[in-house]
Amino acid sequence: MTATPATSGTPAVPAHQPWEPALSVRQVLGLERVLAGQPEVVAGAHRLDRPVRWVHVAEAADVGVMLSGGEMVLTTGVLLAGDEDKQGEYIRSLHRAEAAAVVLGLGRAFPAPPDVMRRAADRCGLPMVVLHRPFPFAELTEEVQSRLLRRKFAAVSLSEAVRTELTGLITAGAPVQRLLDEVARHGGCPVVVTNLAHRVLATAGERPAVDDVLRDWERIARQAGAGTADGWIRAELTCRGERWGRLVLCGYRGDRAAGRLLAERAAEALVLHRLLGGGDGRRGAGPGSAGGTWDSPGSWEEQSARSLLTDLVSGAVPARQLLPRARAAGLPVNRRVFVPLVVGTRDTARLDRVLRLLGLPGIVAGLADDRAAVLLSLAPDQDARALTAHFAARLRSAADAAHTVVAAADARADWADVPAGLREAQQVADAVADSPAALELPPVVRLRDVHLRGLVRLLRDDPHVQSFAERELDGLLQGPDGDLLSVLRTYLATGRNKSRTAQLHHVSRPALYRRLEAIQGRLGVDLDDFEQAASVHIALLAHDAQQG
């Protein structure tokens, strides 16, 4: 059987093998100079992807004591001819020394492949190659050694270039996503960061390629962990002696040694980024800060959830295309009902604890304005309303969360409807944020609970509504006295209750009457007229919504 050159994709190397740049036995046999010797693999053909770390010429029967592993040994067998015991021991000593392969030049000592050596090599799983034409061993050693040195230099150069570039980005305060994007660019393949349970925390690379990787993530991630996936290279993420995640190059097609170096340098950069508290403008912020940091594995999960929920709300990426990311993030998506929530708290850790306590699958992410989004994933036979109410009640059971409001959208049975549900929950949260009656609202608030205020919030970006608000309130908005606007807001919110308004503003009733007269004069309205008061009230709600 004539050896054939190795393919471009180098199969996985077992974890115990040296990771420095190497050629495989198959690649060495495919070199032009070697092909001139008409190589034939006579044993161990299934082990041709073993790495060759060095090439060594040796004739002594006890050659194994001179090897350190990974060598391709060249011999003419001149000291072995006529002694079958020595021939068998020669092969066994190479196997004990973990040699990569043995190449026997046929000639006067062995005009044909010796059966004893061939059988011993087969039993040991050691690739044995014979050369049918005379071949100067010096040419082979020179060719392989120079290639190995060039590959090692290239790999080290890549390693240092990547390290310098990533360190520079960290020093400049770049976010972790920028680091991952650079790693994906260098690797020419998707990059995935996971926790120890294979839950995806972050990704980088061309979006279609990333989506393909995530589509069946858990299965292929476990294959990669077992070393059975070609082109998948992983590096452990360890900080302060604790292993907390993995970085995976998915389908890397370059030299595996260079890929290992790239993965290791990327892992080092991520750990350094984490030790420095992140580079997204929140360095040193505590876990309760708005939006969190990349300073702990939990916050990486929150960043992943925030990215997913942000893409869902924005509509920039179709919801169907986000399904692989949701599944890889640990959210059940098959035959489920989804409940979008927005909670008036910045404490995402508490929300996570409540979800775990109640056994509710979901993802949590901090939003702006001290709020958090929660997306529940329930079975179709579960009571979504009851479970949402139970979640809100448990959340409010803490003394410092007694008035926490959960804004909810109706459950969505179709994943494609989740973005609209999240936007609706946000609008409900906006509507109750500045409501004077916020403390009187139920634990779970829906769009129907916010009535006119909710409608105005939905329409606040409409140019006609904006123009209406400016026109109705122009007399007060142009004036220097902002207190009149505040008095008007309280007066209308209390149902035009003069006593209550005077009490809330700490003024006498005569003083309040004077202010109300000033307001009516500036606006040119009669607040005792229901229709005119309603018009001003709607305009004020629209103005507040636009300001918010």
Side-chain angles (χ1 to χ4, degrees):
M1 176 176 66
T2 302
T4 56
T7 57
S8 58
T10 304
V13 178
H16 67 274
Q17 293 288 358
W19 57 262
E20 62 264 22
L23 294 167
S24 68
V25 175
R26 189 189 308 277
Q27 289 172 316
V28 172
L29 297 181
L31 297 177
E32 185 175 350
R33 288 187 179 182
V34 179
L35 290 174
Q38 293 184 359
E40 179 188 357
V41 179
V42 297
H46 62 292
R47 304 295 299 277
L48 294 183
D49 294 310
R50 301 175 79 177
V52 176
R53 190 177 56 84
W54 207 244
V55 176
H56 190 67
V57 180
E59 301 289 353
D62 58 350
V63 62
V65 299
M66 297 181 284
L67 306 179
S68 57
E71 295 90 351
M72 174 178 277
V73 177
L74 312 181
T75 182
T76 61
V78 65
L79 300 182
L80 304 174
D83 191 331
E84 293 187 348
D85 290 338
K86 283 186 177 181
Q87 295 170 21
E89 179 56 28
Y90 183 84
I91 295 296
R92 288 189 291 273
S93 69
L94 294 181
H95 171 64
R96 289 192 296 269
E98 297 185 346
V102 59
V103 177
L104 173 66
L106 300 181
R108 285 185 299 173
F110 291 103
D115 285 340
V116 172
M117 294 178 69
R118 182 181 56 78
R119 288 195 299 270
D122 257 336
R123 285 192 296 270
C124 294
L126 175 71
M128 179 176 174
V129 182
V130 297
L131 300 175
H132 288 276
R133 295 186 61 183
F135 183 88
F137 284 169
E139 290 187 12
L140 176 56
T141 57
E142 178 185 7
E143 174 81 7
V144 174
Q145 317 301 39
S146 63
R147 284 176 178 265
L148 289 174
L149 289 174
R150 286 199 302 269
R151 288 161 70 95
K152 185 169 186 177
F153 177 77
V156 171
S157 297
L158 171 66
S159 170
E160 290 308 307
V162 170
R163 172 184 279 159
T164 301
E165 183 174 352
L166 296 183
T167 303
L169 289 173
I170 294 172
T171 304
V176 73
Q177 187 62 51
R178 177 72 187 283
L179 271 65
L180 293 176
D181 289 341
E182 285 303 306
V183 175
R185 183 180 66 81
H186 278 289
C189 65
V191 177
V192 177
V193 178
T194 77
N195 63 13
L196 297 181
H198 303 289
R199 179 172 176 178
V200 174
L201 305 179
T203 62
E206 295 292 333
R207 178 51 54 191
V210 171
D211 288 344
D212 285 343
V213 166
L214 297 183
R215 193 158 284 115
D216 193 15
W217 170 252
E218 186 168 347
R219 179 184 62 80
I220 55 180
R222 294 186 186 280
Q223 285 184 346
T228 58
D230 183 20
W232 286 58
I233 302 173
R234 72 175 189 172
E236 302 297 327
L237 298 174
T238 303
C239 188
R240 299 187 179 100
E242 179 185 0
R243 187 165 59 94
W244 57 271
R246 300 181 182 93
L247 178 140
V248 187
L249 304 183
C250 307
Y252 181 77
R253 292 303 172 193
D255 177 73
R256 185 171 180 84
R260 290 286 297 269
L261 280 173
L262 175 61
E264 293 293 340
R265 295 297 170 261
E268 290 173 4
L270 294 185
V271 170
L272 176 60
H273 192 281
R274 177 185 168 192
L275 287 172
L276 293 177
D280 52 359
R282 297 188 295 276
R283 181 174 279 112
S289 61
T293 70
W294 293 86
D295 194 38
S296 68
S299 61
W300 282 67
E301 294 172 358
E302 184 182 341
Q303 290 279 1
S304 175
R306 182 186 298 114
S307 173
L308 173 60
L309 292 175
T310 299
D311 285 347
L312 279 168
V313 172
S314 69
V317 182
R320 291 295 179 190
Q321 293 184 20
L322 296 173
L323 264 176
R325 286 172 58 189
R327 187 181 292 109
L331 186 73
V333 295
N334 294 332
R335 294 187 294 278
R336 306 294 287 186
V337 172
F338 305 97
V339 183
L341 309 173
V342 172
V343 186
T345 180
R346 67 194 302 178
D347 192 350
T348 55
R350 173 182 290 168
L351 297 177
D352 267 326
R353 286 196 299 271
V354 173
L355 288 180
R356 287 196 297 270
L357 182 65
L358 300 178
L360 295 177
I363 54 176
V364 177
L367 303 175
D369 301 325
D370 295 341
R371 296 179 193 164
V374 179
L375 182 61
L376 301 180
S377 173
L378 306 177
D381 59 350
Q382 291 181 291
D383 189 333
R385 281 183 169 270
L387 288 174
T388 303
H390 192 28
F391 168 77
R394 183 57 65 96
L395 187 63
R396 297 182 82 168
S397 63
D400 58 345
H403 300 297
T404 301
V405 175
V406 176
D410 290 335
R412 264 54 179 180
D414 190 338
W415 173 260
D417 295 332
V418 169
L422 285 167
R423 289 192 290 270
E424 181 181 313
Q426 279 190 313
Q427 290 157 356
V428 173
D430 288 344
V432 302
D434 56 1
S435 172
L439 298 183
E440 303 170 9
L441 290 169
V444 180
V445 183
R446 293 180 170 81
L447 196 58
R448 63 178 60 86
D449 298 317
V450 294
H451 306 295
L452 179 61
R453 188 179 298 272
L455 175 64
V456 171
R457 285 281 176 172
L458 286 174
L459 301 176
R460 64 180 175 181
D461 295 326
D462 189 301
H464 295 91
V465 175
Q466 295 170 358
S467 176
F468 168 76
E470 291 292 318
R471 184 174 63 251
E472 288 289 298
L473 301 176
D474 183 65
L476 288 182
L477 297 178
Q478 296 299 328
D481 190 357
D483 183 56
L484 291 181
L485 195 64
S486 177
V487 170
L488 174 63
R489 183 180 292 110
T490 304
Y491 179 63
L492 295 174
T494 59
R496 295 182 292 171
N497 187 319
K498 294 183 176 64
S499 298
R500 181 62 176 156
T501 302
Q503 180 183 12
L504 290 173
H505 283 270
H506 307 290
V507 298
S508 65
R509 288 183 61 122
L512 175 65
Y513 294 155
R514 288 193 295 273
R515 295 183 187 185
L516 290 177
E517 289 174 1
I519 291 171
Q520 293 180 107
R522 289 192 184 183
L523 296 181
V525 299
D526 179 5
L527 293 178
D528 289 330
D529 181 88
F530 176 79
E531 185 174 336
Q532 293 184 53
S535 180
V536 172
H537 194 184
I538 293 171
L540 186 58
L541 291 175
H543 169 75
D544 289 345
Q546 291 153 16
Q547 294 302 308

